[in-house]
């Protein structure tokens, strides 16, 4: 079985939740004999192909990025060529350019769409885009929601029933290497241990301004790892409010990320908008046996993190609530330890790469066998 993954950006150029989700889907389905290719956009001069463990990655030059929607004229040609190779096409939403590319390609292969998030910020542009989206959606055989929470709260996904199935994101533990001694020493020297850890792209919807305020209230150590458009404003805020316990690690390598997880007391994930549909970092935290602190925003973050069992779920946009949750875990280390262990058990039972890979494999087979749809 040959599957073409299609999304606007991918590793190694960018590192985000959707990129990691595609990476893990490819790894977990390859165990079952699925040959995967990833077609994506990148800041390259010419079309190029990378050979990665998960499969070939074909990168097409980006020529424009209006409202973060990557576009490039060569994508039309390369997509037609790769669609001919594939038995099935797996597209990751939202990316309006993908809808146009597929519709103009004339490809007749079965299509699966993983629906990662509603379009939240560009509401006016979404209204203009809606007719194109519905033309594309008519061509889609199945949609995947990444959590029952998101399916229940997304009006658009509700309109797509009964073509929607829930398949959570997952991770293959063997795809993560333990941190090196060098990385562990570097983390300990720079940040110590027992800190509250955030890892991710520094975007508006991550709610990090509330985390910085919570750190200023409590004085508890916080490490923010990652870079992004909010980086300068967050550093300025931390200095302004006197959040001296907050340290910014910037972009970190996979080795350093694993070392940070190994030395952290908990993962704190203060995302405050529905743009945060799941949170792969939460799964990585559970893989390391860490308790989680998240905010209730009606998405998969509260599917991963079960309040009172694997961590604490607090109201969104409340620095006071975040501070209270951090203080609670800090003052009750045994409770935090039990939550971390429960999180690892939940990871093994719900989010393991093998289970997710098998569920996607079953979906691929359904789409390739019309009588079963």
């Amino acid at each position: 079985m040959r599957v073409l993954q299609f999304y606007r950006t991918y590793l190694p150029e960018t590192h985000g939740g959707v990129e990691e989700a595609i990476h893990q889907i490819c790894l977990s389905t390859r165990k079952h004999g699925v040959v995967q290719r990833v077609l994506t956009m990148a800041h390259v001069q010419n079309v190029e192909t990378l050979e990665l463990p998960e499969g070939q990655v074909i990168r097409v030059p980006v020529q424009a990025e209006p409202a973060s929607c990557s576009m490039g004229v060569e994508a039309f040609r390369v997509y037609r060529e790769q669609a001919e190779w594939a038995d099935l096409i797996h597209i990751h939403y939202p990316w309006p350019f993908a809808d146009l590319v597929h519709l103009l390609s004339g490809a007749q292969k079965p299509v699966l769409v993983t629906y990662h998030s509603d379009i939240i910020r560009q509401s006016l542009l979404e209204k203009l885009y809606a007719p194109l989206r519905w033309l594309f959606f008519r061509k889609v055989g199945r949609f995947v929601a990444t959590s029952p929470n998101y399916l229940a709260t997304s009006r658009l996904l509700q309109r797509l029933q009964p073509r929607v199935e829930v398949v959570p994101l997952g991770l293959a533990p063997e795809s993560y290497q333990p941190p090196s001694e060098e990385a562990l020493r570097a983390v300990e020297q720079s940040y110590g241990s027992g800190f509250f850890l955030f890892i991710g792209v520094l975007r508006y919807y991550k709610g990090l301004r509330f985390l910085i305020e919570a750190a200023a209230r409590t004085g508890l150590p916080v490490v923010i790892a990652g870079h992004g458009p909010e980086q300068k404003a967050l550093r300025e805020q931390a200095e302004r409010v006197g959040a001296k316990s907050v340290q910014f690690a910037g972009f970190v390598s996979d080795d350093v990320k694993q070392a940070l997880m190994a030395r952290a007391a908990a993962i704190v994930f203060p995302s405050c908008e529905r743009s945060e549909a799941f949170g792969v970092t939460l799964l990585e935290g559970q893989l390391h046996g860490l308790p989680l602190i998240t905010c209730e925003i009606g998405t998969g973050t509260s599917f991963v993190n079960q309040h009172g069992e694997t961590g604490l779920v607090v109201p969104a946009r409340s620095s006071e609530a975040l501070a209270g949750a951090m203080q609670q875990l800090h003052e009750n280390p045994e409770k935090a330890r039990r939550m971390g262990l429960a999180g690892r058990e939940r990871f093994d039972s719900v989010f393991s790469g093998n289970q997710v890979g098998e569920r996607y494999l079953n979906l691929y087979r359904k789409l390739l066998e019309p009588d079963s749809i």
Side-chain angles (χ1 to χ4, degrees), residues 182-201:
E182 181 183 2
L184 287 169
R185 284 195 300 270
V187 165
E188 289 169 356
Q189 289 172 1
S190 298
Y191 313 112
S193 61
F195 46 81
F196 290 85
L197 176 63
F198 169 87
I199 298 179
V201 182

Side-chain angles (χ1 to χ4, degrees), residues 51 68 71 155 173 203 231 254 271 297 303:
E51 297 290 343
S68 300
M71 299 180 179
R155 292 181 180 178
R203 301 190 188 280
Q231 182 170 322
D254 288 340
S271 297
I297 50 176
F303 175 62

Side-chain angles (χ1 to χ4, degrees), residues 288-332:
H288 283 80
L290 293 173
L292 311 175
I293 298 174
T294 59
C295 298
E296 182 54 71
I297 50 176
T299 72
T301 61
S302 297
F303 175 62
V304 178
N305 186 22
Q306 304 285 285
H307 179 65
E309 296 180 18
T310 63
L312 300 171
V313 180
V314 301
R317 305 177 193 85
S318 172
S319 57
E320 183 178 1
L322 279 173
M326 292 165 64
Q327 201 74 50
Q328 186 179 154
L329 293 184
H330 176 70
E331 294 174 356
N332 298 275

